[in-house]
Amino acid sequence: MDYENLTASDVRSINKNRIFRAIHGCDGISRQEITEKLKLSLPTINQNLKLLLEEELIAFEGNYNSTGGRRAQVIRVNGTSRVAVGVNILADCVRVYIVNLNGSIIGMSRVDMPFNDDNTYYEKISEIINTLLKENNINKDTVLGVGITVPGVFNEDNTTIIMAPQLRIKNYDINKLVCHIPYKVMVINDARANAFADYWYEKMKSSNVPSGNCENGKQYLMLSEGVGGAYINSEGIMSGAHNRRGEFGHMTLHPGGRKCMCGKCGCFETYVSSRCLSLDLGISLEEFFNEMEHNKEYGEVFEAYLKDLTTGINNMYIMFDGDVVVGGEMAKYLHKYEEQIRTMLIEKYPFDTDGSYFSISQCSSGEADCGAALMFLADFIKNI
């Protein structure tokens, strides 16, 4: 930013945004704390608090205990002043979430309905969204948008899904998904959305409200029935020349190996997706991990799984030389083996490393599902 050429109006806008972020980044804050944190004068703080209150973006909720003198007011974000909706399109069901301005999930619905490329299916999605909003008494004027995630590869301008093997579609016009939804809509790859959710909640837990950017580049490897990912740096989610950056699931791990749903052989996805430990064995992931320590066959399957997983992660680290975060459906099961995975990564890396570049997402599955909705919140906050 060219600070030398800022106008008085620019400075006011920047201060307002900084003050809102300071409030958003914690569970309650006082005027004095904002002053100390941002090094702004109390009149500037009060002026902007008045504006934010008029816009119903904040609320005064009680007072702190007195330490002598007048008790300070507790200032919080008015979470319900804005909401966003996340819709997850899966092969066998649709999951819909409402998140408030704080990023908290305030409504959720799952409807078992196989994906179907017909008008009835698209009308049903709109119906599910509207029903969930009504059940949670959400004013439609507060809805920032609806973010839809699809497990597929998109074209350069996100208007066409080139392929989504799990949904058995190719060259699919996304207008079909959005035509019945009466809100601003964005459709995005599910792994990228999951990665953004991890980034958002990591920042929130460290009391640093996200801006839509990540100061240091990170690679996100999302392990579910499909395998994908994203690369996020200071410019946001990087899409690549053909909007396919982060499609780690389709790098070749074993040339001539198992056939992937994409039609090629030996893809990383065919060795590290959740299917390898569940559907391919005719059991659930829960059953696999409950029985693995007492089942020699499952133990051998998991050992091979970790070898392939760490080979892929090692390759990612060598190529990008940046942090790697593993998320998706598999994340909650891999926490127990985090140090084992890190040790294997250290052994495979040809240079000096302590493996600290590797971590496992702390997001819950519900939080991860809300990534596309959170993008609407981040964009709104950026422009306050």
Side-chain angles (χ1 to χ4, degrees), residues 83 129-131 133-134 137-145 182-183:
V83 301
I129 294 170
N130 289 325
T131 298
L133 290 170
K134 185 176 181 180
N137 299 311
I138 301 298
N139 183 333
K140 292 183 178 181
D141 292 336
T142 66
V143 179
L144 295 172
Y183 303 101

Side-chain angles (χ1 to χ4, degrees), residues 38-94:
L38 301 183
K39 309 302 180 188
L40 294 173
S41 69
L42 195 56
T44 297
I45 300 294
N46 287 332
Q47 181 184 28
N48 282 284
L49 290 179
K50 181 181 178 181
L51 292 174
L52 293 170
L53 189 64
E54 288 173 353
E55 295 172 24
E56 301 184 342
L57 295 176
I58 62 170
F60 295 105
E61 299 182 354
N63 301 87
Y64 288 102
N65 293 329
S66 177
T67 56
R70 186 176 179 180
R71 293 195 301 166
Q73 289 179 297
V74 181
I75 308 168
R76 291 192 174 95
V77 167
N78 177 12
T80 57
S81 63
R82 299 292 188 281
V83 301
V85 179
V87 179
N88 295 260
I89 303 293
L90 302 170
D92 59 350
C93 70
V94 174

Side-chain angles (χ1 to χ4, degrees), residues 116-257:
N116 196 347
D117 184 11
D118 65 30
N119 200 54
T120 301
Y121 179 87
Y122 308 128
E123 289 177 342
K124 181 65 176 177
I125 291 175
S126 180
E127 180 185 321
I128 296 168
I129 294 170
N130 289 325
T131 298
L132 187 62
L133 290 170
K134 185 176 181 180
E135 289 175 348
N136 287 274
N137 299 311
I138 301 298
N139 183 333
K140 292 183 178 181
D141 292 336
T142 66
V143 179
L144 295 172
V146 175
I148 301 177
T149 65
V150 177
V153 179
F154 289 68
N155 68 344
E156 287 87 342
D157 59 0
N158 268 26
T159 58
T160 302
I161 300 172
I162 297 172
M163 65 174 181
Q166 295 176 47
L167 304 183
R168 303 182 185 280
I169 54 176
K170 289 185 177 181
N171 299 316
Y172 176 89
D173 183 358
I174 66 168
N175 284 323
K176 297 178 182 180
L177 280 174
V178 308
C179 63
H180 295 289
I181 300 175
Y183 303 101
K184 183 177 180 181
V185 186
M186 170 183 62
V187 184
I188 188 173
N189 169 271
D190 60 342
R192 287 186 180 179
N194 290 169
F196 187 83
D198 183 274
Y199 162 63
W200 170 285
Y201 288 112
E202 178 188 23
K203 290 294 185 181
M204 289 300 294
K205 288 169 185 174
S206 63
S207 298
N208 186 0
V209 59
S211 63
N213 295 328
C214 180
E215 291 75 13
N216 298 306
K218 285 189 179 183
Q219 301 166 86
Y220 292 86
L221 175 64
M222 314 311 291
L223 306 174
S224 297
E225 278 194 39
V227 174
Y231 179 77
I232 303 178
N233 66 10
S234 60
E235 297 179 19
I237 296 178
M238 304 302 290
S239 59
H242 302 95
N243 200 20
R244 296 170 202 158
R245 186 162 186 173
E247 285 293 341
F248 303 121
H250 298 289
M251 62 181 178
T252 302
L253 188 70
H254 294 290

Side-chain angles (χ1 to χ4, degrees), residues 270-283:
T270 63
Y271 295 89
V272 298
S273 81
S274 62
R275 299 177 63 93
C276 300
L277 309 180
S278 56
L279 296 179
D280 290 354
L281 300 174
I283 58 174

